[in-house]
Structures are given as structure tokens and as C-alpha cells.
Amino acid sequence: MKTGIKKKIALLMSTALLTMVMAGCGNSDTNTPETASSAGSDGSAPPVTLTVEVFDRGIQGQPDLNNNTWTKYVNEKFGKPNNAIVKFVPVPRSQEIDKLNVLMAAGEAPDVSFTYDGTTVTRFAKSGGLYTLDELLEEHGQQLKSYLGEKVLSYGKYKGKQVSIPAKRTLLAWNGMFIRKDWLDKLGMPLPTNRDELYETLVAFRDKNPGNVNGVIPWATAAAGMNYTFGNLVQSFWGPMSEEEFVTTTNWLKPGHKDAYRWLNKLYNEKLISPDFALDKTTKQADADVTNGKVGFYAANWDYPLSQKIREPLKQNAPDANYVPVDTFKNHEGKYLKEVYNENGLFSFIPKTSKNAELAMKYLNWMADPEVLFFLQFGKEGVNHTLVNDIPQGIQQSGENMQTSNLNMDYTLIVNGAELGDTEKNVKTYAAALAAGEPSYEKLAIDSYRINTTDGYSAFFYGVPNEANIKYGKTLGDMNKQMIDRLIVAKPAEFDALYDKLVKEYMDAGGQAVQDENVKNYREIKAQSK
């Protein structure tokens, strides 16, 4: 009996204490006790500070990432009504995974954190470092649920629980390839349409230097894993595979993969690729080479030539340069096979250390308001954009109005790409936003999107986590980058032996376990679908 009375008294006391805390916290139940105890003399709660990650892309002339037109809008339209101050936490784009790992380990990750790496999110979830969001989403995220839909949200689940909020990707193109059309015209050469033609073109760029530049670079690239890529070159070497082999086999073991890197090794040793690319871990050198007019060909994100870090300095340094998109890597079937994005973009999540989980969900839900999303992407008519045939066209900005990423995607965490509700409009809008009123750039963007979604395939979605990949993913990712760099710069006579050695080390380090689990999960999914 005494024990029962004690339990009732304890319950009453805890209820009374909770009531007192809630009264001190106003409408937010996410404040810390310290915040609640510092309420003003008038009884009102002080504003809660909601921390939100933002990429620092190191763009020349960029505004204060925590004090600009967009952050002021966020604090005015979301912060004030929710008695909150939204503080943005810059994270270097080129080091985002490493920085995020440090912040999570220290318990200092922003209330709203994000990454494009789904494996990293799953690893955090497995270790218990993330909030499960199902209840928060149901209670405070109805507009967000409606906007994203079940398919997009499914990419953010771990063991059936929502652990992240994937952004909706409205445009699916990924990598692109670009070539100096003005150099081709000087040489009287057509756009290359296959590997052999590209090789001839690169040799001509090297030997004839049509730009008459000091230190011509036929093909510019940078250290593996950065913005510069090899486009769909590797896929063009792959031989016939069954669907299961295509989906589950590690790339290093796919038929033809070795030949792809042997070809790149040949280009490097013939001085057709950036000589010090493996040392360029920030892409600063590759960017400088492109913008100084030294480069004939490169592969990067499909919209990279229109980024301010490339476009503006290129116009100043090499005003006659004319990069155009090109499709040049044809496979054995006559297709230009290339990977495109899934329907999801970056993953936003709430670390378990956050004291403001409810407010964080409200923030993401607020962003799904069409009016909010439109302003964050396009700004104010007449100031940040003009309307041409109902398509918003950006006005080039500087200072606090400047957007450091296309369509402000670093501030619009629930969407990647223009959002006007229609794919064709989205492409035109995105192109117009990138072009900032310059028709030639708008055409470049539209052509690049069309080319880089032709013969596209997206990664197979298993719907279940690969536990081996969670365990070994970071190690394998680091090894993958090192392998690419080492194989390309190897002496030709040593290439085959080095390839076999590195691939064996990769498979022994977890690659085989990841592949085996892929096979297991794939077969289970196929069996369930019969």
C-alpha cells in the first residue's frame, strides 16, 4: 500500500513539474529546461534557437551564410511566428561527410542536418543517433507528407521507420560532358559521338592547341569523388549482364570495368588528362584551368558550366570559349547508358542530441508551403526574378541577394531542382534560373538535361538497408577513390597487376560482403514480387 501511495505522489509531483515547465516554455515543448528557466519577467518564453545546416561552397563574393535575404525571410516568416531564431551552421561542401561525422560524434550536429549520402544516414540511424520521425511527421508534417509522397519518403526509412526526410528531386540528370565547340570549329572537327572520335579530338587539342594557351589540357579532371567525373565513360565499356548481375555486382567486377580504367590510364600517360588531377582534392585547380580557357573537354554535374564559379570567370578570362554538352560514350548496344538520380535528393535528419525535434519538423513542414518554396527558390519578382511566359527568370545578384547554389537548394531542403509542378516547366525554369537572362546558357542547360537523361538508369532501390554497406561503406568509399587515382596514374606495364591487387583488397575489406548481401536482398525482393 505504501509503495502505491509513493508512486501516486511521485506521479502527481512529476505532473506538476511538467506543467510548470510547459508554462515556462510557451507553445514549444522542445525547449531545454535552461531555456525555460530564463523566461522574461513578463512570463513570455525567450525565443528558441533552431540550428540548421547550410553548405559553404566557397563561392567568390558570397554573402554571410547566416545573414542574407533568404535567412532574413526564414526568420521573419518562420522564426517569429514560432518564437524561434533560426541559426544556420555552415559546413564546407567538399568536406561535408567528415565534418558531419565530427559534429555527430561531439553531439553538436545542427537540429536540422543533411547529407546526400544515404549510407551515412543509415549508419547514424543504426547507431541510434537519429530521431525516428514517424510520429513527428504525422503530427507536424502533413503538408510535407503531401508534397513528398510515399515513394520519396520511402527512401528515408530504416527498418520500417522514418529516420530522414528525403528531398524530392524534380530533375533527374546527374553527370554531363562538355566540349569547346569553338576549338572544334577552329580544327574543322565535328562533335565526337564515340570514344574513338573523342580520343582523336583530345589528341588534336593536345598537339594543335587551338586555343593557343599556355599549358593546354585536353581533358580536365580532379581527384576522385569531387565535382569532376568521367561522365558515363565507364558504363560505355561494360559488357552484357543479366539484371541481377547489373544490379548486385560491384562495379570493379563488372565485365569491361577494367578496360575502362586501362583506357583512362592510356589517356593519362599520353598527357591527355590533367597531369596533377590526383592532388586536386578541392577541384580548385580544375576550376582554374577551365575558367582560364585551358581546357578542351571535361565531365562534371550536368549543369556545372552554368555555375557562377565557372561561368563568370570564364567569360572574363576567355570570352570566346563556347562549351556545349556532348554525348560521346556509346556502349556495345549503341546506347549512351548513364546513371541518373532516383526520385530523392538530399536527406535531412534530426540528430538524437537535438532539443528541438518538434520545431525542426515544423520547419521542414513550413517549407512545403508553395508560397514559401517559391520565394526561397526565386525570390521577389522584379528584384530576384522576372516572369517570362509564366517562367521565372533569375536576375543576376550580388551581395545579400546572391544565391550560392542553383535555386537556393542549400536553403530549400525538401526539394532538389525547380518546383513548378510540371517536368517541362521545371526544366525550363531551372535552365532560366541558371542562365540568368542569357539565351545561350539557357539553351546549354536544356540541351544538357535532354542529353543526360537519354538512356538513363537509376540505382536499384532495395527498400532494405545493406548492413554490410553500413559497416564497411565508408572504408570502401575511401578505398574506391584511392583506387581510381592510383590506377589512372600507374605505369601502363604495371596496370593489370595493380588492378587485380587493388580489387582483391577491396573485396576482402568488405566489398564481397556488400555484394553478397545485395544478391540476397535482390533475390528476396524478386521472390516477393512473383
Side-chain angles (χ1 to χ4, degrees):
M1 178 66 70
K2 289 182 179 179
T3 301
I5 292 172
K6 286 180 180 179
K7 285 184 177 179
K8 288 180 180 179
I9 291 173
L11 179 60
L12 288 171
M13 289 179 68
S14 63
T15 303
L17 180 60
L18 179 61
T19 303
M20 290 169 65
V21 172
M22 290 297 290
C25 292
N27 292 328
S28 173
D29 61 2
T30 57
N31 290 349
T32 62
E34 290 78 12
T35 301
S37 66
S38 61
S41 58
D42 61 355
S44 63
V48 180
T49 297
L50 180 74
T51 53
V52 179
E53 181 182 351
V54 65
F55 278 152
D56 182 350
R57 297 178 181 268
I59 305 296
Q60 185 177 2
Q62 70 183 21
D64 183 338
L65 297 177
N66 208 40
N67 183 23
N68 54 58
T69 297
W70 320 106
T71 62
K72 289 176 182 176
Y73 177 85
V74 167
N75 275 289
E76 179 68 27
K77 299 295 185 179
F78 175 80
K80 283 186 178 180
N82 289 280
N83 192 32
I85 295 173
V86 182
K87 178 183 178 182
F88 292 88
V89 181
V91 171
R93 176 66 179 101
S94 60
Q95 304 165 28
E96 58 121 347
I97 298 297
D98 292 339
K99 180 69 172 177
L100 202 51
N101 285 332
V102 171
L103 290 171
M104 288 290 289
E108 298 174 354
D111 297 311
V112 180
S113 296
F114 62 80
T115 179
Y116 282 96
D117 185 17
T119 300
T120 293
V121 176
T122 307
R123 179 163 47 83
F124 290 154
K126 185 180 181 182
S127 65
L130 304 183
Y131 268 95
T132 53
L133 305 176
D134 301 86
E135 291 184 9
L136 286 172
L137 194 58
E138 190 65 30
E139 188 172 354
H140 303 291
Q142 287 301 315
Q143 187 165 235
L144 184 62
K145 282 183 66 176
S146 177
Y147 171 68
L148 295 177
E150 287 300 319
K151 179 65 183 296
V152 172
L153 284 169
S154 68
Y155 288 98
K157 291 188 175 183
Y158 174 69
K159 293 188 173 179
K161 298 291 186 180
Q162 197 78 43
V163 297
S164 67
I165 302 297
K168 178 190 289 186
R169 189 177 291 279
T170 63
L171 303 178
L172 302 183
W174 190 344
N175 293 316
M177 292 137 292
F178 309 94
I179 198 164
R180 287 282 297 266
K181 180 69 164 54
D182 55 310
W183 283 13
L184 290 174
D185 291 343
K186 285 184 179 180
L187 296 172
M189 300 182 75
L191 290 173
T193 62
N194 56 52
R195 290 194 304 267
D196 291 340
E197 291 177 3
L198 177 64
Y199 175 78
E200 293 175 6
T201 300
L202 297 176
V203 169
F205 286 169
R206 180 195 65 192
D207 295 344
K208 299 181 181 179
N209 190 5
N212 193 29
V213 294
N214 182 24
V216 63
I217 299 174
W219 182 344
T221 190
M226 300 308 296
N227 289 331
Y228 289 83
T229 71
F230 297 114
N232 60 323
L233 163 70
V234 173
Q235 290 96 322
S236 74
F237 276 91
W238 288 347
M241 287 175 275
S242 67
E243 182 187 73
E244 178 176 320
E245 290 171 327
F246 186 84
V247 167
T248 63
T249 305
T250 180
N251 286 347
W252 291 110
L253 295 181
K254 283 187 169 77
H257 202 78
K258 187 176 187 178
D259 294 329
Y261 282 95
R262 184 185 289 109
W263 196 73
L264 284 169
N265 176 270
K266 167 185 167 69
L267 297 190
Y268 175 81
N269 282 284
E270 292 183 9
K271 303 187 185 309
L272 298 175
I273 291 178
S274 302
D276 298 320
F277 80 92
L279 302 177
D280 187 12
K281 300 186 184 301
T282 64
T283 75
K284 287 185 178 179
Q285 187 58 55
D287 285 345
D289 291 336
V290 170
T291 56
N292 284 321
K294 295 182 177 182
V295 173
F297 174 84
Y298 70 94
N301 291 343
W302 72 274
D303 55 0
Y304 202 64
L306 286 89
S307 63
Q308 290 191 12
K309 65 188 292 187
I310 296 297
R311 187 170 90 186
E312 294 309 311
L314 179 63
K315 286 196 295 187
Q316 294 175 14
N317 300 330
D320 295 331
N322 178 24
Y323 280 104
V324 297
V326 62
D327 219 358
T328 189
F329 295 125
K330 185 188 298 184
N331 72 359
H332 66 282
E333 296 178 311
K335 293 184 177 181
Y336 293 89
L337 194 68
K338 55 184 74 74
E339 187 169 4
V340 298
Y341 285 114
N342 291 94
E343 296 92 334
N344 66 295
L346 63 79
F347 300 89
S348 295
F349 57 89
I350 303 174
K352 204 62 176 286
T353 52
S354 171
K355 305 296 184 184
N356 301 303
E358 180 182 304
L359 188 62
M361 180 58 70
K362 288 180 177 180
Y363 177 68
L364 294 172
N365 187 67
W366 167 78
M367 202 174 288
D369 183 318
E371 183 178 330
V372 171
L373 203 54
F374 185 90
F375 182 87
L376 288 177
Q377 288 201 319
F378 305 108
K380 187 177 180 180
E381 186 177 1
V383 176
N384 308 103
H385 74 270
T386 57
L387 284 177
V388 178
N389 297 323
D390 292 328
I391 300 295
Q393 296 193 353
I395 300 171
Q396 193 165 345
Q397 302 288 337
S398 60
E400 67 172 13
N401 279 332
M402 180 181 178
Q403 296 184 352
T404 59
S405 55
N406 296 326
L407 294 170
N408 251 359
M409 62 183 174
D410 296 339
Y411 290 116
T412 59
L413 305 185
I414 65 168
V415 63
N416 284 120
E419 180 55 282
L420 289 179
D422 173 81
T423 299
E424 185 176 348
K425 278 188 176 181
N426 289 341
V427 173
K428 290 181 178 179
T429 301
Y430 191 65
L434 292 172
E438 297 188 46
S440 62
Y441 281 104
E442 189 169 342
K443 182 179 186 306
L444 189 159
I446 292 173
D447 289 347
S448 181
Y449 187 83
R450 174 184 52 78
I451 286 173
N452 292 299
T453 50
T454 298
D455 296 335
Y457 71 94
S458 59
F460 184 79
F461 180 56
Y462 290 90
V464 294
N466 185 310
E467 298 294 338
N469 195 45
I470 296 170
K471 181 177 181 179
Y472 301 114
K474 187 177 188 309
T475 298
L476 293 174
D478 292 342
M479 289 182 71
N480 190 71
K481 296 174 186 178
Q482 295 168 10
M483 290 166 68
I484 291 172
D485 293 346
R486 288 183 64 185
L487 287 166
I488 292 173
V489 304
K491 295 179 180 179
E494 300 173 356
F495 175 85
D496 283 297
L498 180 62
Y499 188 98
D500 295 342
K501 173 179 176 291
L502 293 179
V503 171
K504 183 179 185 306
E505 291 174 354
Y506 179 91
M507 299 304 288
D508 291 344
Q512 188 64 54
V514 172
Q515 179 171 293
D516 290 346
E517 193 162 343
N518 278 340
V519 171
K520 172 179 169 291
N521 291 340
Y522 175 86
R523 291 177 179 174
E524 287 179 356
I525 290 170
K526 289 298 180 180
Q528 293 169 6
S529 64
K530 289 181 179 178

